[in-house]
Amino acid sequence: MRELSVVGVRVELPSNQPIVLLREVEGDRYLPIWIGAVEATAIAYEQQGVKPARPLTHDLLRDVLAALKAPLRAVEITELKENVFYADLLLGDGVRVSARPSDSIALALRVGAPIRCAEQVLSEAGIVIPDEQEDEVEKFREFLDQVRPEDFAG
């Protein structure tokens, strides 16, 4: 397993489909995952420090896990089958729960849990951005500084 960090979310044009972009902590590969608008908003809210008046679903799950004393230890993106990513939540004393990567990432950001990815998934779906495209990554980061979670609403 390789540890990943969340670069951010954006809307892919022309499809208007949100993606979350992850990057290897110790490596050069990026992992783009197409996600739903609700999950994109949840990830963007957490990255931007937006605290809604009432808890979102991922906030609720964080609070339930805390109340049950079953902390999220890590998120693992385990498989890619037929263009669908699969992930597991690693809870408490080794309990694994299958979950969508988008939900897993939103929860991991809320509790500070590491996000890991199987090498096979990174080999298959990871992309390396050449040095000359690093400007594009910087533009993407600037975009993330300007984007609002409401931009992902249907």
Side-chain angles (χ1 to χ4, degrees):
M1 289 282 170
R2 306 283 301 202
E3 188 165 347
L4 304 176
S5 63
V6 179
V7 176
V9 292
R10 68 172 286 207
V11 175
E12 183 72 16
L13 297 176
S15 66
N16 285 331
Q17 176 79 32
I19 64 167
V20 60
L21 186 63
L22 306 167
R23 182 173 189 199
E24 281 183 293
V25 171
E26 294 183 16
D28 298 326
R29 293 176 289 186
Y30 290 82
L31 184 66
I33 300 177
W34 279 256
I35 61 175
V38 171
E39 293 78 16
T41 300
I43 292 168
Y45 270 9
E46 191 60 28
Q47 284 196 304
Q48 295 176 2
V50 174
K51 300 298 179 202
R54 298 293 300 144
L56 299 177
T57 303
H58 302 95
D59 301 315
L60 174 64
L61 184 52
R62 174 200 60 211
D63 296 346
V64 168
L65 291 174
L68 295 174
K69 297 184 180 8
L72 178 64
R73 303 279 184 208
V75 163
E76 293 184 349
I77 301 169
T78 57
E79 290 184 277
L80 175 60
K81 291 193 282 191
E82 298 178 17
N83 294 322
V84 176
F85 289 89
Y86 294 81
D88 287 339
L89 302 175
L90 277 61
L91 305 174
D93 294 327
V95 173
R96 284 184 173 267
V97 177
S98 181
R100 296 182 303 183
S102 55
D103 291 322
S104 303
I105 293 164
L107 184 59
L109 288 173
R110 281 162 171 74
V111 301
I115 300 167
R116 301 183 191 120
C117 186
E119 178 60 41
Q120 181 177 344
V121 173
L122 276 169
S123 294
E124 188 174 338
I127 57 173
V128 175
I129 299 177
D131 288 340
E132 61 269 10
Q133 291 184 6
E134 283 296 321
D135 288 345
E136 292 299 315
V137 173
E138 187 56 37
K139 287 179 189 173
F140 179 60
R141 287 190 175 110
E142 290 172 12
F143 165 80
L144 292 174
D145 290 339
Q146 303 300 320
V147 72
R148 298 180 332 251
E150 297 80 31
D151 295 336
F152 298 106

